[in-house]
Structures are given as structure tokens and as C-alpha cells.
Amino acid sequence: MIRTLRALAAVALLGLAAVTATAQEPVKGGTLAVVLNPEPPILVSAFNSAAPIGVVSTKVLEGLLTYDFDIHPKPSLAETWKVSPDGKSITFNLRKGVKWHDGREFTSADVQFSAMKVWKEMHPRGRSTFAKLLAVETPSPLVAIFKLAEPSPYLMSALTSYESQILPKHLYDGTDIAQNPYNNKPVGTGPFVFKEWQKGNFVTLERNPAYWDAGKPYLDKLVIRFIPDAAARAAAFETGEVQLGGFSPVPLNDVKRLEATGKFDIETRGYEYLSPMFLMEFNLRNRYLQDKRVRAAIAHAVDRDLIVKTVWFGFGKPAVSPVPSSLTQFHTTDVARYPLDLKKADALLDEAGFKRAGDGKRFKLFLDYLPYGSDYQRTAEYLKQALSKIGIDVEVRSQDTAAFLKRVYTDNDFDLTTNFFYALPDPTIGVQRIYWSKNIKKGVPFSNASGFTNTEMDQLIEVAQVEHDVKKRRAALVRWQQLAAEELPVLDLFETKFFTLASKRVQNHTVSAEGVYSSFAQVWVKK
Amino acid sequence: MKAFVGRFARNRAALVGVAILLAVVAMALSAPWIYPGDPWDMVTEPFLAPGTNAEFRFGSDMMGRDLGAGIFHGARVSLVIGGVATAVAVLVGVTIGAVAGYHGGRIDRALMGLTELFQTIPAFLFAIVLVAIFQPSVRTIVLSIAAVSWPPVARLVRGEFLSLRSREFVQACIAMGMGDLRIIVLHCLPNAFAPIIVTGSLMVATAILTEAGLSFLGLGDPNVMSWGTIIGAGREALRTAWYVATLPGIAILLTVLALNLVGEGLNDALNPRLRNR
């Protein structure tokens, strides 16, 4: 008996030695300064999907699940879960002993309230993600059962703290949720407690000593600073004023210089959950663009490798199909390709009957670009040059974001636009809105602006919404991608690769597909 | 005229200004021959430092566009925008100033009130607002610059006309029964030319700077390569490739300096009181 114990102890010691050899022991304490731009309008993501909110709110509030790099669900506020064989019922067993920051118990009533009153009614994407959710049953304070009218296989990948955030029912029930004062001073269950928001300057969060994951978080304090100018953010990193920033916080052409100092990590993982896709939308109401051959010619005239390499300094991956390659279960490369081929492009345009005039031009199109920065403008400048080579005269129009969204999504007064969409972990959540004819909705930003209507596509999309069989669902999604590549209502240019810039002293900052939307309970700073 | 040229030529600084200005105009005119093709074309590798490649002596920007082509073609854009905006502003300013100064009274008060209204808004901010509202294009930029730069001309012309109005030759014209328009155009205006030309030459410089400032802030016409466009794009790369923003910056500096020197030379040469200095 004693011998076995000794042997066990020896094995345990060896194991411990192996662990310390590979990973350092986290150091407790310290402050981490995170830089963020723009400043979020509120600090709660439960009903507002604006990207900057997520960086702050996910530290204070939590979701039912979290996800690893392959978007496999991991426990968070739900410890275990079970999907019924018919896919119409999902049971979540909630974590015991979790308390809101004001001391109240977290229960299944909070889950029920958040799902039915907040996500399903108010969240821009939640409205379709939870469309089939009929009710959340709460047989006990620690069990929440989602009852669905039809299977919603994509729902299990939408339960992060950013996409589906759980709000405290006792502070929100019966109030005007969108105007609730706690949106600016959030009360959550997460590793950090809200302390102060000095508008235009910073948000301070402090360690939650009663966090359910005992021993975490490691940091004492988290400060999120708002610095609007990209060059000033780079300077703040160099002086050590801030130590971490997500969503490519410095000018892309500055990255090499910062990397050469040896003081920073440039981390491109952690955006797998968002999987942003940069694309060009064609307005199919345009007399030239309604011809599939014209769209194919444009696709053949654009060098996607060059866009990634020169315009985006390598921070991207040329796109193959509308579903990004990071969504490994759904992505396919078995689609029509349009390699750079100016001769073929010319031939296609001639065939479509749009011959070059005396000055070498065929026709004119306007290009409106999403005005998110100089990289976006340079992409438009490149596309103008590329299309001029095949006789298409492009005039670039610049405008502010509000005018852009109105022009494209409300007035449909555009020919070509460049834009990016979050594909998110499931095509039904992120990609569907671009191709579904039911998503031709005036005034809804980031929907089907091209006016694409295709019966087969609609059927495939609707199959993917309810098909519970993994194989059959993948088959529908593969055909969807093939059809999208044949019809080309939008031209997928490249998968945007955001990066997180962090001081080398900051440890464990990117541990899952959620990246800077993770709780940061695991983050620690080397002394 | 001969006397004027002689007086102007005595001013060395003004001659330097004329030389630089002629060089810039020559750049603008020769751009299509020296740099045929589009300045937006990506012709070489990005971030080529000036002087490292014989084919692209001025280097290249972050997209591999030839900076030399950008600066030469940019000269055309900057000069055209500066010239046209100034012409429009002078036309508006002279009309309003002449009418106000010649007629005086209620018309004068109303027109000067309008002028002051425009003058109370900081010019560059007003230009930003106008371009942002009407969306950037060469036309809106020219009109916005003109809209913010006519008030000084109007005030100047009004002052000249107020004094000319009481001169004997004008009174004589009125007594002879000449029409207002004829008096304004044929008799008053030629006598007010000198200060208008001096102000106009300085306004071209301001207009070029304003256009560069707008492009720098991303409010330039995205289809047109101006000096400001290159600076605006090169600003983010200042730490890694200083020359992208610096070369067109030098071009603007020299052009604006030249216009100021010429303006001052004109002022000296045209001002009768300084004739025998």
C-alpha cells in the first residue's frame, strides 16, 4: 500500500515537474492596460453587437458556454448540456454557487429572462439565431431547458459571452432594457467587477474575489483606454502605456517595426469565432452587373494575392468560398475558381456585348467602400486600377459610415461596394444574411444588398437552418458554397486576419477562438 | 507695363518665386510625357526609398505607386484646384464687394452682414463641413474652398469702391448719365485691380494648402492624385517611410512659398506709394 502511494507521489511529482518545465507558474496581481478604439457606446453586449463593446463587457458578464480554437463548446456558466435526439430540446445544467457581483444568486431564471426577453427580442443576430426558440423551462434553479419549434443546430455555437450574454434578471426585469442604467455600470458574474467609466478616457475593472473559478482571475485590475488615433496607439505601446490591444490596433505598415523591437507578440489567433470575410458586393439591379459574365470578368481581373500581400501587408488569406476556411466543418474548396486572367475577363465582357469604345473603356461603375480606415480606401484604389485594365471605368466614392450604410442598405444606390462581414462559427448565423432572398430588407445593415434571389439557394439555406443530421447539413452547405461561386452575387476577396498586439510580458492572452472577447480570467503579467 | 516689369524685376525674391512657380507649372504640363500612364498604377515594389532605383528616382509609396508620377500629376491637380477655386472666389468676392461699395446704404449693410457671417466661421473647419456634407469630389472641393475664401476679397473690393465712388472721375461719369454697370466695370474695377491681383495670388497658395489639408484628413477626391492625397496616405507610414509624406510636403512648401513671394513682389510693384522706394 505504502509502496503504491510512493509510486503515485513520484508520478505526481514527475508530472508536476513536466508542467513547470513547459509553462510558467502564473503570477498573481498587477494591472493590465488594454487599448480600444472606438469607445463603446454602452458596456453590455446582450442586445448590441457593436464590436468594441465586447472587449469590455465579456470581462464582467458571461455566457452559457465558451469555445476552444476549433469552436467546440466548453463549459462556462453551464457545466454540462445535452441536446435531445430530435434536436428540439437542449438541457443546460448550470454551475452551482455562482453569484452576481451584487451578491445575488445566479439561477436559471436569469438564463430564461436573457434568452426570451433580450437575445430573442433585441439582439440583431439573436433575433434569427433564437427564432425557433419557443420557451426556456426552469424545472430547478440550476437547470434551464431550451424548447425549440424546430432543430437549430447552429444555436450551440452562438452561446459565447459576446454573442449571447446573460443579464441579471433582478436588475433588468420590468425595466426599459435598452435604457437601463446598468448598461453603463454592468453587474455580471464574470472575473472582473465594474469600477469606473470616465467617458472619452478609460474604463476600470477590478478583480472579483468571489469568482467561481477559484484562484482566478490573476490580475488585480484591468484598465481599458480609448485612443482614437492609430499612430498614437502605436506610440502608447512603445512607451509601455498600454500592453494589449485587439482588432489590429496599430497601422499595418508599422507592425514590422514594432515586431523588430522584440518587445511585442503579434497574435493572429483568437478571431476564429468571428471569422471576418472581406468582400465586394455587386448590385444586381445594375444593367451591367446583372449579367453573370460581367461579374465573372471582374472576378478574373482582381488579384486577391496582391490585395492581401500589398494592401493589407499580409494580414489576410485569399478567399476561396463564402464560408471562411477557419470554419473547417463547413468550408469547401470544391467550388468554381476565378484566377487572375485578364484575357479571359476581356473575352467575357466582349461576349456579354460590352465592347471597348474608342478610348478603351466599356462602361462606368461607382465603387463605395466601407470607410473604416486607410486600408479600406487603398483596397478601393487598387480595385479601380485593376478594373481599368479590362476597360471598366470605376469612380470611387468616399463618405462617412452612416452615409455608406444608408446608400448601400437603405437606398441600394450603389454599383460595387467593398465591405466585411463576420462569418461567425456557423454559416446560418453569419453568411446566410448575404445570400437569402428573405434578407433583402431595406434599412437593415449588412444584409442581402446585392438583391440576389435564387430559389435553389433559398432552399439550401432553409435546409441548413433545420437539418439536424450533420452529414446532410454539410452537403447542403457545400452546395450552397458552389452555387454562390457560380452565381457570384458577391465576390469574396479575402479572409481578414486581425491581430492582437501584446507586450511579451502579457501571458495567456489568446487561449481560445474568442480572443479578446474571452473573460481574461486566465491572463497574467510577468513581473 | 514696362515700368511695372522693371519694378518687379528689381525684387530678387519675387524673381525666385516666379522661377519656382514656372518650374511647378512645367512639372504639371510635362506630367503626361515624363510619366505617361496613370499615377495610381502599382508599378514597382512598395516602400522603395528615393534614389535606390534608377527607374523610380523618387521612390514608391506603400502600394508600389511611383512617387515621381504622383508628384508630377499631383502638381496639375493642386494647381488646377488652387486656380479654379481662387477664380470662383475672386468672381464672387469682387461682385459682392463692388455692388456693396458702389451702392452703399442698405445694400452695403446687407451684403457686408452676409460677408461677416461667413467670416465668423473658421475657414478650414467650414471647408471640412462643406466637403463632408456634399461628399468629396473635385467639384465639391473647389466650391467649398471658394465658399470659404471670398469674404476677404469682398471686403477689400468694397473698401476700394467706397473711396473710388467719391472720386471726381466717377462723379463725372454719374453726371454724364452713365449706367451703374458700365461705371463699375469700365471705370472703378480697373482702378481696383492691383490689390485684387495681389490678394488673388496669395489666395491660390491658401487654396492649395486647404486642398492638401482636406486630402490629409481623408476628405480628398479618392479618384484624383493630389499632393495632399499622397501626404494623407503616407502619414501612417511616417515612422517607416518618411519620404512618402515628405516629398509632396516639400512640393507644397515650395509652391506656397513661391506664390507668397510673387504676391509680395506684385504688391510692391503695383503699389504707387512704394514706387520710388
Side-chain angles (χ1 to χ4, degrees):
Chain A
M1 181 65 199
I2 288 178
R3 205 180 278 170
T4 22
L5 270 180
R6 257 193 217 146
L8 270 175
V11 166
L13 270 176
L14 271 175
L16 209 70
V19 167
T20 40
T22 49
Q24 285 172 293
E25 194 64 26
V27 178
K28 285 200 171 196
T31 301
L32 176 69
V34 176
V35 70
L36 179 62
N37 180 65
E39 182 169 12
I42 54 171
L43 301 183
V44 164
S45 295
F47 53 86
N48 188 333
S49 63
I53 302 176
V55 176
V56 183
S57 71
T58 52
K59 315 295 175 276
V60 180
L61 294 134
E62 294 183 294
L64 284 173
L65 301 175
T66 175
Y67 297 83
D68 64 9
F69 280 115
D70 298 320
I71 327 278
H72 293 131
K74 299 276 162 203
S76 179
L77 285 178
E79 269 186 318
T80 58
W81 52 91
K82 196 164 179 260
V83 183
S84 71
D86 66 355
K88 289 186 179 179
S89 160
I90 311 171
T91 307
F92 293 96
N93 294 305
L94 306 179
R95 195 173 292 278
K96 207 176 156 188
V98 176
K99 285 199 162 59
W100 293 101
H101 293 161
D102 62 1
R104 294 277 287 256
E105 288 283 332
F106 159 74
T107 70
S108 54
D110 296 311
V111 178
Q112 181 192 46
F113 170 76
S114 302
M116 299 307 293
K117 292 277 160 61
V118 187
W119 312 335
K120 188 178 159 72
E121 305 226 321
M122 300 172 69
H123 193 279
R125 289 186 291 261
R127 273 185 268 205
S128 57
T129 308
F130 298 100
K132 307 264 158 59
L133 180 66
L134 295 174
V136 176
E137 291 174 4
T138 52
S140 94
L142 293 178
V143 178
I145 304 170
F146 282 35
K147 290 285 177 196
L148 303 161
E150 281 183 81
S152 305
Y154 47 89
L155 194 144
M156 282 303 285
S157 36
L159 298 173
T160 65
S161 62
Y162 162 67
E163 189 71 10
S164 305
Q165 202 163 62
I166 295 176
L167 293 180
K169 184 183 179 187
H170 63 279
L171 297 177
Y172 278 86
D173 198 14
T175 69
D176 179 358
I177 294 168
Q179 301 301 326
N180 190 300
Y182 287 98
N183 295 336
N184 291 332
K185 43 175 183 174
V187 170
T189 54
F192 293 94
V193 181
F194 172 81
K195 185 81 189 159
E196 187 193 2
W197 182 4
Q198 210 178 87
K199 292 254 164 98
N201 210 349
F202 61 82
V203 166
T204 318
L205 309 176
E206 280 181 353
R207 184 173 192 271
N208 175 9
Y211 190 49
W212 52 262
D213 196 351
K216 287 180 184 169
Y218 297 123
L219 293 167
D220 281 342
K221 209 168 154 188
L222 202 55
V223 179
I224 295 113
R225 298 205 40 199
F226 312 118
I227 304 178
D229 184 68
R233 288 196 291 275
F237 271 102
E238 281 185 279
T239 58
E241 208 180 317
V242 299
Q243 293 99 40
L244 186 141
F247 297 99
S248 311
V250 295
L252 298 182
N253 55 52
D254 237 8
V255 173
K256 267 196 183 151
R257 191 177 61 80
L258 290 170
E259 203 172 13
T261 63
K263 290 189 215 154
F264 302 101
D265 279 334
I266 287 142
E267 176 60 84
T268 52
R269 293 179 309 158
Y271 298 94
E272 295 84 351
Y273 187 81
L274 299 176
S275 292
M277 174 71 89
F278 197 100
L279 46 81
M280 175 152 80
E281 289 159 292
F282 297 115
N283 190 343
L284 305 186
R285 303 160 188 92
N286 178 285
R287 61 176 280 234
Y288 307 111
L289 294 173
Q290 66 189 3
D291 190 320
K292 207 196 294 182
R293 289 168 296 193
V294 173
R295 306 198 295 269
I298 291 175
H300 276 301
V302 173
D303 185 348
R304 301 171 209 204
D305 292 317
L306 187 144
I307 295 181
V308 169
K309 200 169 145 260
T310 305
V311 185
W312 291 81
F313 294 89
F315 289 101
K317 181 177 172 188
V320 173
S321 90
V323 175
S325 57
S326 50
L327 275 66
T328 42
Q329 315 108 282
F330 309 119
H331 174 75
T332 178
T333 53
D334 180 23
V335 294
R337 308 277 189 106
Y338 300 87
L340 181 67
D341 187 343
L342 296 182
K343 271 196 194 129
K344 193 164 178 197
D346 268 319
L348 279 165
L349 289 170
D350 285 339
E351 192 193 311
F354 305 116
K355 302 251 192 262
R356 283 180 192 264
D359 58 356
K361 289 177 182 168
R362 299 174 194 273
F363 52 83
K364 181 175 170 175
L365 296 173
F366 286 100
L367 169 61
D368 297 282
Y369 63 94
L370 182 71
Y372 273 13
S374 54
D375 317 310
Y376 296 80
Q377 182 171 347
R378 284 202 302 272
T379 311
E381 287 166 6
Y382 164 72
L383 290 169
K384 175 186 164 80
Q385 287 317 105
L387 297 192
S388 77
K389 300 226 161 67
I390 55 168
I392 299 177
D393 184 21
V394 173
E395 187 175 330
V396 178
R397 275 190 297 218
S398 52
Q399 55 231 310
D400 60 31
T401 308
F404 170 84
L405 293 177
K406 179 170 184 295
R407 179 190 286 285
V408 176
Y409 295 104
T410 304
D411 303 338
N412 297 139
D413 173 26
F414 70 99
D415 301 334
L416 307 167
T417 80
T418 52
N419 202 339
F420 81 88
F421 278 70
Y422 286 154
L424 294 160
D426 193 294
T428 299
I429 306 175
V431 185
Q432 160 186 301
R433 51 192 167 148
I434 311 171
Y435 294 97
W436 199 14
S437 69
K438 288 182 188 157
N439 244 7
I440 304 177
K441 286 180 185 162
K442 285 201 175 205
V444 178
F446 305 108
S447 52
N448 179 349
S450 59
F452 178 60
T453 311
N454 183 299
T455 326
E456 191 191 348
M457 181 60 93
D458 285 351
Q459 280 166 359
L460 291 167
I461 284 172
E462 283 152 28
V463 167
Q465 285 172 354
V466 296
E467 180 54 63
H468 196 47
D469 182 280
V470 177
K471 276 203 182 130
K472 281 187 197 156
R473 183 153 191 262
R474 178 175 158 88
L477 288 165
V478 166
R479 178 69 198 125
W480 164 350
Q481 292 170 71
Q482 288 167 341
L483 188 62
E486 284 160 28
E487 293 292 325
L488 272 187
V490 305
L491 176 60
D492 296 291
L493 294 174
F494 65 97
E495 300 168 12
T496 313
K497 279 222 179 333
F498 285 121
F499 61 90
T500 301
L501 184 68
S503 156
K504 280 215 190 304
R505 287 171 51 222
V506 183
Q507 306 295 312
N508 276 353
H509 52 76
T510 304
V511 294
S512 75
E514 291 173 79
V516 288
Y517 286 165
S518 76
S519 76
F520 276 24
Q522 79 288 350
V523 177
W524 57 280
V525 181
K526 261 196 220 169
K527 286 281 182 285
Chain B
M1 186 64 196
K2 221 178 189 177
F4 162 74
V5 173
R7 280 201 302 277
F8 187 81
R10 245 181 285 153
N11 186 337
R12 290 264 170 78
L15 286 183
V16 172
V18 170
I20 299 175
L21 211 54
L22 284 177
V24 174
V25 172
M27 264 168 74
L29 292 178
S30 65
W33 288 280
I34 296 182
Y35 292 102
D38 198 327
W40 292 95
D41 271 338
M42 298 153 80
V43 287
T44 180
E45 59 182 288
F47 291 130
L48 205 60
T52 50
N53 185 322
E55 202 187 336
F56 307 104
R57 258 165 291 159
F58 290 90
S60 68
D61 72 357
M62 64 251 292
M63 298 266 279
R65 296 178 292 222
D66 188 350
L67 275 178
I71 290 169
F72 272 66
H73 284 268
R76 317 185 84 176
V77 178
S78 292
L79 286 183
V80 165
I81 289 182
V84 175
T86 303
V88 175
V90 166
L91 196 72
V92 174
V94 165
T95 312
I96 290 182
V99 170
Y102 184 80
H103 288 287
R106 224 180 275 165
I107 295 178
D108 182 30
R109 273 201 296 281
L111 287 176
M112 282 306 109
L114 179 75
T115 311
E116 269 157 25
L117 195 72
F118 273 79
Q119 278 191 307
T120 51
I121 310 169
F124 189 57
L125 288 182
F126 192 27
I128 292 177
V129 171
L130 289 176
V131 173
I133 291 174
F134 295 112
Q135 293 185 5
S137 73
V138 169
R139 201 163 47 149
T140 56
I141 291 169
V142 162
L143 291 179
S144 308
I145 295 175
V148 300
S149 37
W150 65 266
V153 183
R155 295 194 69 93
L156 179 87
V157 172
R158 169 184 175 264
E160 292 288 324
F161 270 60
L162 272 181
S163 81
L164 286 170
R165 176 87 165 79
S166 54
R167 296 278 182 82
E168 280 156 3
F169 70 94
V170 176
Q171 295 297 328
C173 291
I174 296 172
M176 280 159 67
M178 224 180 251
D180 285 349
L181 188 68
R182 204 166 156 204
I183 299 176
I184 288 178
V185 174
L186 289 181
H187 295 275
C188 295
L189 206 52
N191 284 293
F193 255 155
I196 295 175
I197 286 176
V198 173
T199 318
S201 68
L202 297 177
M203 274 168 62
V204 176
T206 317
I208 290 175
L209 275 181
T210 309
E211 190 277 331
L214 289 170
S215 301
F216 179 83
L217 294 174
L219 289 169
D221 185 333
N223 300 286
V224 167
M225 177 82 80
S226 78
W227 289 337
T229 312
I230 311 175
I231 296 180
R235 190 183 71 107
E236 283 190 359
L238 204 55
R239 298 284 296 273
T240 37
W242 57 271
Y243 45 86
V244 179
T246 311
L247 292 181
I250 293 172
I252 293 179
L253 173 81
L254 288 177
T255 310
V256 170
L257 182 72
L259 283 164
N260 276 288
L261 292 176
V262 170
E264 247 169 61
L266 286 173
N267 188 32
D268 291 354
L270 291 167
N271 193 331
R273 275 174 230 114
L274 296 172
R275 247 165 222 181
N276 301 315
R277 193 169 62 171

